[in-house]
């Protein structure tokens, strides 16, 4: 097992660092409660220890973090992911259900235990199907005694942004992946929140400089963010310090983070709006009366008015593509392993709309992928054993890996890789089509590095990273709707090293939640331990539509079904049968 930073630093006796080698422990009793953060509707939300909003996790670089989870939801299983943390040596603590653990069933307990040696702004959230937008998400901040910008600010302020739904995810998902929604229109949120509320007052003092940690922990909407009449200086993206870069407005997709320095004015004569404005391009139809904005204020003087935000005529956000990492890490220019993912949306035989990489819509394997790695010996290096619906790729130790993602869809999608920050070496404009390796202009010498990046409509991105972190890491769109509809791939990095690090070391409470849920913990994706290449019985998607069957056909069919349903219910539902037959 890799030594923790603490034991690693001891020999070079950095006293100040040793002082920070603490264990921070959180006890999270996860259960339903009620909240009304947008003032429009009280709804059930998922809280921690009876409270909502749920608490941030705060640690210092080098610390061990222990989160003792008790699932008191009663009717849903859960899991936690620590977004952006590399979990180097602890891939079993990464959180996604059916990937690195089993779901924590109601009534069960489970401990996450890992060290953090990365500074910056992160967040934690449920990685159980569709669950975090019900409220189970909060910041995760890692302080750093060696923060290169620490002399440039007086205080730090965490500021989260999110979208907010009045419906519960389980219900919304049923409507989303449904024959009655053949175009895959995503539910549109009812409101935007800033720090899980609206009209937030942020007290500031003249002349001081603040480090704002902006975190979008929403399910769907990206936010345009600005501080009126105050310039931002970006110094961190997704946990990576960057060369300070000025920005008037940021575009923060779901799951992205920015730290920005904002210097307060020298007098207290006025207060200023701080605005998060959801990008409505993401919404197929904008419901009448939706306020896409959430407003807060830099409050210099409580007795002075809080002015309405100004109308922004044209959104011209700063372009993150040109950010340069503070350590100036050079372009990884020799690619060992290139992976192309062509993504699209389409219908399957059940008439619902799904998302695909290379024609495959992700379906969770029966055995969590990590447990397949640990139980298949030398065959763990063969991607076939991980199933035909998991988009699995096996990466060799220390390879430079390139992911080419071609977006064959008119939507914007923020892609996230677990276990790494990647270099964004190419990012096209809208409608650029597929990446053409024979038509490449110069790549950046020191590309932006982050863990979540937006691919533009019908455009492409090219990402690179070094496979120096053995583990099982998902690569997926961070729009929670698209996770549910299958826009996920699995990177199985140095599986033989994972076996060396973790064989026999999966904690008993991790295996216990599998037993409690009758989830097998050995064998291939189908749970076959004898013939690892026999995937019979594996989980599959509903199957493809008969050739020549177009979405238009489905729309027509739905309408005829609905019409029949209105007239004579039984016949209406029989009318749906033809496209369901042959499933399985
Ligand atoms: C679980 O319980 C909560 C709180 O009682 C309820 O709001 C929610 O609908 C339930 N979820 C399911 C899937 O039954
Ligand atoms: C966390 O892991 C460390 C290292 O394996 C171990 O020493 C410690 O006892 C664990 N703590 C808990 C609460 O499980
Ligand atoms: C926003 O919430 C975080 C906790 O998530 C808290 O630390 C911070 O102070 C809040 N910010 C403001 C401006 O109230
Ligand atoms: C505030 O005053 C100081 C000292 O006079 C000056 O250097 C600084 O630029 C001023 N700041 C702003 C935001 O105007
Ligand atoms: C939301 O903010 C944008 C940008 O300032 C503005 O154009 C729009 O009118 C606002 N919408 C509402 C409903 O306030
Ligand atoms: C790998 O699979 C092959 C074919 O099923 C089998 O013969 C071999 O024993 C397996 N190797 C290991 C180490 O499990
Ligand atoms: C090459 O790429 C540029 C954009 O980078 C594009 O404008 C041009 O049409 C492409 N050329 C060909 C031959 O595809
Ligand atoms: C993981 O740790 C190893 C050393 O144990 C290091 O070489 C590697 O760069 C680390 N990977 C990441 C992604 O931090
Ligand atoms: Cu997406």
């Amino acid at each position: 097992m890799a030594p923790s930073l603490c034991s690693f630093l001891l020999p070079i006796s950095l006293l100040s660092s040793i002082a920070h080698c603490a264990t921070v422990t959180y006890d999270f009793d996860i259960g339903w409660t009620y909240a009304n953060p947008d003032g429009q509707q009280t709804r059930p939300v998922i809280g921690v220890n009876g409270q909502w909003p749920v608490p941030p996790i705060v640690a210092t670089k080098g610390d061990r973090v222990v989160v003792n989870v008790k699932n008191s939801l009663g009717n849903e299983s859960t899991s936690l992911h620590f977004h952006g943390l590399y979990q180097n040596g602890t891939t079993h603590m990464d959180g996604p259900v059916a990937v690195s653990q089993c779901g924590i069933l109601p009534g069960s307990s489970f401990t996450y235990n890992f060290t953090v040696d990365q500074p910056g702004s992160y967040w934690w959230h449920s990685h159980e199907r569709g669950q975090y937008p019900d409220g189970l998400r909060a910041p995760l901040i890692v302080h750093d005694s060696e923060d290169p910008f620490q002399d440039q600010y007086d205080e730090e302020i965490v500021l989260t942004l999110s979208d907010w739904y009045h419906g519960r995810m389980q219900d919304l998902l049923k409507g989303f992946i449904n024959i009655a929604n053949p175009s895959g229109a995503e539910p549109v949120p009812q409101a935007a929140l800033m720090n899980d509320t609206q009209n937030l007052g942020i007290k500031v003092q003249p002349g001081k400089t603040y480090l704002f940690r902006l975190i979008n922990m929403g399910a769907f909407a990206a936010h345009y963010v600005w501080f009126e009449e105050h310039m931002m200086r970006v110094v961190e993206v997704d946990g990576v310090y960057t060369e300070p870069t000025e920005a008037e407005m940021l575009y923060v997709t779901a799951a992205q983070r920015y730290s920005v320095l904002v210097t307060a004015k020298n007098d207290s004569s006025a207060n200023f709006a701080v605005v998060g404005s959801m990008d409505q391009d993401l919404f197929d139809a904008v419901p009448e009366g939706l306020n896409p904005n959430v407003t807060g204020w830099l409050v210099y003087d409580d007795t002075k008015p809080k002015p309405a935000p100004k109308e922004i005529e044209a959104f011209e956000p700063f372009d993150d593509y040109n950010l340069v990492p503070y350590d100036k890490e050079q372009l990884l220019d020799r690619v060992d392993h290139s992976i192309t993912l062509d993504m699209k949306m389409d219908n399957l035989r059940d008439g619902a709309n799904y998302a695909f990489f290379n024609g495959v819509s992700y379906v969770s394997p029966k055995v969590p992928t990590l447990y397949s790695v640990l139980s298949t010996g030398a065959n763990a290096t063969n991607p076939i054993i991980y199933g035909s619906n998991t988009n699995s790729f096996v990466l060799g130790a220390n390879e430079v890996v390139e992911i080419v993602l071609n977006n064959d869809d008119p939507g914007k999608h923020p892609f996230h890789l677990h276990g790494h920050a990647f270099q964004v070496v190419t990012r096209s404009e809208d409608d650029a089509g597929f990446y053409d390796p024979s038509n490449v202009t110069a790549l950046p010498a020191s590309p932006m590095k982050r863990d979540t990046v937006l691919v533009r409509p019908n455009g492409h991105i090219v990402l690179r990273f070094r496979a120096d972190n053995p583990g099982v890491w998902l690569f997926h769109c961070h729009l929670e709707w698209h996770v549910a509809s299958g826009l996920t791939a699995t990177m199985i990095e140095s599986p033989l090293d994972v076996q060396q690090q973790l064989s026999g070391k999966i904690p008993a409470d991790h295996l216990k939640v599998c037993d409690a849920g009758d989830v097998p913990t050995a064998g291939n994706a189908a749970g076959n331990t004898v013939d690892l290449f026999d995937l019979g019985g594996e989980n599959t998607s509903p199957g493809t539509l008969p050739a020549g069957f177009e979405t238009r056909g489905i729309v027509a069919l739905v309408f005829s079904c609905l019409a029949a349903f209105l007239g004579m219910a039984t016949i209406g539902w029989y009318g749906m049968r033809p496209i369901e037959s042959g499933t399985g």
Side-chain angles (χ1 to χ4, degrees):
M1 203 156 170
S4 75
L5 186 71
C6 291
S7 53
F8 178 72
L9 284 178
L10 268 164
I12 44 174
S13 60
L14 285 171
L15 277 166
S16 65
S17 297
I18 290 168
H20 283 307
C21 287
T23 296
V24 290
T25 302
Y26 291 86
D27 295 322
F28 284 179
D29 188 349
I30 296 174
W32 291 99
T33 179
Y34 290 88
N36 182 7
D38 61 4
Q40 297 181 59
Q41 185 170 309
T42 299
R43 55 151 292 176
V45 294
I46 299 180
V48 165
N49 304 332
Q51 304 284 313
W52 192 89
V54 298
I57 291 175
V58 182
T60 299
K61 196 174 140 189
D63 283 353
R64 176 172 294 281
V65 174
V66 173
V67 185
N68 297 308
V69 173
K70 164 108 207 289
N71 179 359
S72 299
L73 288 166
N75 59 8
E76 287 182 19
S77 58
T78 192
S79 86
L80 302 186
H81 169 58
F82 307 89
H83 183 115
L85 298 189
Y86 302 150
Q87 297 288 7
N88 198 341
T90 50
T91 188
H92 57 307
M93 299 295 178
D94 194 45
V97 171
V99 178
S100 45
Q101 68 167 84
C102 298
I104 309 168
L105 292 180
S108 291
S109 296
F110 188 104
T111 295
Y112 294 94
N113 178 357
F114 52 87
T115 53
V116 272
D117 55 7
Q118 312 160 245
S121 312
Y122 304 89
W123 57 304
W124 65 268
H125 62 81
S126 164
H127 219 296
E128 171 76 270
R129 183 183 165 88
Q131 192 173 63
Y132 81 77
D134 282 337
L136 193 53
R137 74 282 185 285
L140 189 163
I141 306 300
V142 185
H143 291 132
D144 178 11
S145 59
E146 290 155 317
D147 172 357
F149 302 103
Q150 62 193 333
D151 297 338
Q152 296 181 37
Y153 61 88
D154 301 290
E155 276 175 47
E156 72 166 54
I157 301 178
V158 175
L159 206 58
T160 68
L161 295 149
S162 77
D163 43 25
W164 189 246
Y165 291 87
H166 291 164
R168 288 169 309 236
M169 286 302 280
Q170 293 301 323
D171 301 332
L172 294 172
L173 280 166
K174 277 187 204 120
F176 171 59
I177 301 181
N178 197 297
I179 186 172
N181 182 29
S183 70
E186 299 81 6
V188 175
Q190 277 69 44
L193 302 179
M194 184 181 286
N195 254 32
D196 286 323
T197 186
Q198 294 182 329
N199 304 313
L200 179 74
I202 306 164
K203 278 217 178 293
V204 291
Q205 288 176 337
K208 280 197 172 173
T209 296
Y210 296 86
L211 179 84
F212 281 95
R213 298 183 182 273
L214 306 173
I215 302 174
N216 185 342
M217 48 185 206
F220 184 32
H223 280 254
Y224 295 95
V225 182
W226 66 94
F227 294 77
E228 293 200 348
E229 291 176 48
H230 291 68
M231 185 63 88
M232 296 179 266
R233 259 183 307 149
V234 177
V235 293
E236 178 224 324
V237 283
D238 297 354
V240 178
Y241 291 126
T242 62
E243 287 293 309
T245 309
E246 289 205 332
E248 282 179 11
M249 184 188 323
L250 293 172
Y251 184 83
V252 191
T253 75
Q256 285 185 331
R257 293 90 61 207
Y258 285 88
S259 280
V260 299
L261 295 173
V262 174
T263 298
K265 300 206 177 290
N266 277 339
D267 63 84
S268 320
S269 56
N271 300 322
F272 297 88
V274 180
V275 187
S277 182
M278 296 192 289
D279 177 7
Q280 297 177 80
D281 284 359
L282 290 154
F283 307 155
D284 285 33
V286 180
E288 212 172 312
L290 173 74
N291 182 355
N293 305 332
V294 59
T295 305
W297 286 273
L298 294 178
V299 178
Y300 286 80
D301 181 347
D302 257 330
T303 66
K304 298 236 156 58
K306 293 177 173 156
K310 294 196 184 97
E311 284 279 316
I312 302 283
E313 291 299 318
F315 285 116
E316 271 179 39
F318 150 91
D319 184 0
D320 61 331
Y321 182 69
N322 297 317
L323 287 172
V324 174
Y326 186 77
D327 68 4
K328 300 235 171 40
E329 188 186 85
Q330 295 300 293
L331 173 74
L332 295 167
D333 59 356
R334 285 205 12 226
V335 174
D336 301 306
H337 187 167
S338 186
I339 293 169
T340 299
L341 299 172
D342 296 340
M343 65 153 286
K344 64 164 186 178
M345 306 301 198
D346 206 349
N347 300 86
L348 286 177
R349 208 177 266 266
D350 62 355
N353 194 275
Y354 290 86
F356 301 80
F357 279 138
N358 301 336
V360 175
S361 184
Y362 180 89
V363 180
S364 296
K366 280 192 172 159
V367 176
T369 304
L370 173 62
Y371 299 158
S372 289
V373 170
L374 294 176
S375 60
T376 53
N379 285 320
T381 57
N382 192 326
I384 293 180
I385 68 161
Y386 301 106
S388 7
N389 296 273
T390 56
N391 290 306
S392 287
F393 297 87
V394 173
L395 312 179
N398 288 312
E399 287 180 337
V400 171
V401 180
E402 174 178 86
I403 296 178
V404 175
L405 188 139
N406 293 312
N407 178 9
D408 195 7
D409 177 79
K412 301 173 182 171
H413 303 267
F415 278 94
H416 170 51
L417 177 63
H418 291 219
H420 291 274
F422 43 68
Q423 295 185 335
V424 182
V425 307
T426 301
R427 190 190 58 199
S428 80
E429 294 303 320
D430 293 12
D431 302 318
F434 282 23
Y435 176 64
D436 174 2
S438 70
N439 178 22
V440 177
T441 44
L443 301 180
S446 183
M448 166 178 63
K449 244 179 109 172
R450 62 187 317 166
D451 63 44
T452 308
V453 70
L454 186 81
V455 65
R456 305 210 47 102
N458 293 108
H460 57 258
I461 45 177
V462 181
L463 316 175
R464 289 183 189 168
F465 61 96
R466 186 177 293 283
D468 60 1
N469 189 13
V472 178
W473 311 118
L474 291 186
F475 177 74
H476 64 91
C477 174
H478 219 292
L479 305 185
E480 197 61 355
W481 306 113
H482 299 169
V483 175
S485 64
L487 204 41
T488 294
T490 315
M491 302 293 152
I492 296 137
E493 186 168 330
S494 322
L496 302 183
D497 291 335
V498 175
Q499 291 174 355
Q500 272 203 331
Q501 289 178 356
L502 295 179
S503 273
K505 292 196 185 139
I506 300 299
D509 60 338
H510 289 217
L511 299 173
K512 211 169 140 193
V513 294
C514 301
D515 281 350
D518 280 328
V519 179
T521 53
N524 66 14
N528 195 329
T529 52
V530 180
D531 182 354
L532 297 176
F533 298 98
D534 175 4
L535 290 163
E538 71 174 327
N539 295 336
T540 59
S541 54
T544 49
L545 282 171
F549 209 91
E550 303 267 328
T551 309
R552 260 175 301 130
I554 297 208
V555 175
L557 188 82
V558 169
F559 277 106
S560 61
C561 287
L562 290 179
F565 185 68
L566 292 175
M568 203 194 296
T570 345
I571 292 180
W573 289 109
Y574 270 112
M576 290 188 189
R577 275 239 172 129
I579 55 163
E580 284 181 331
S581 66
T583 298

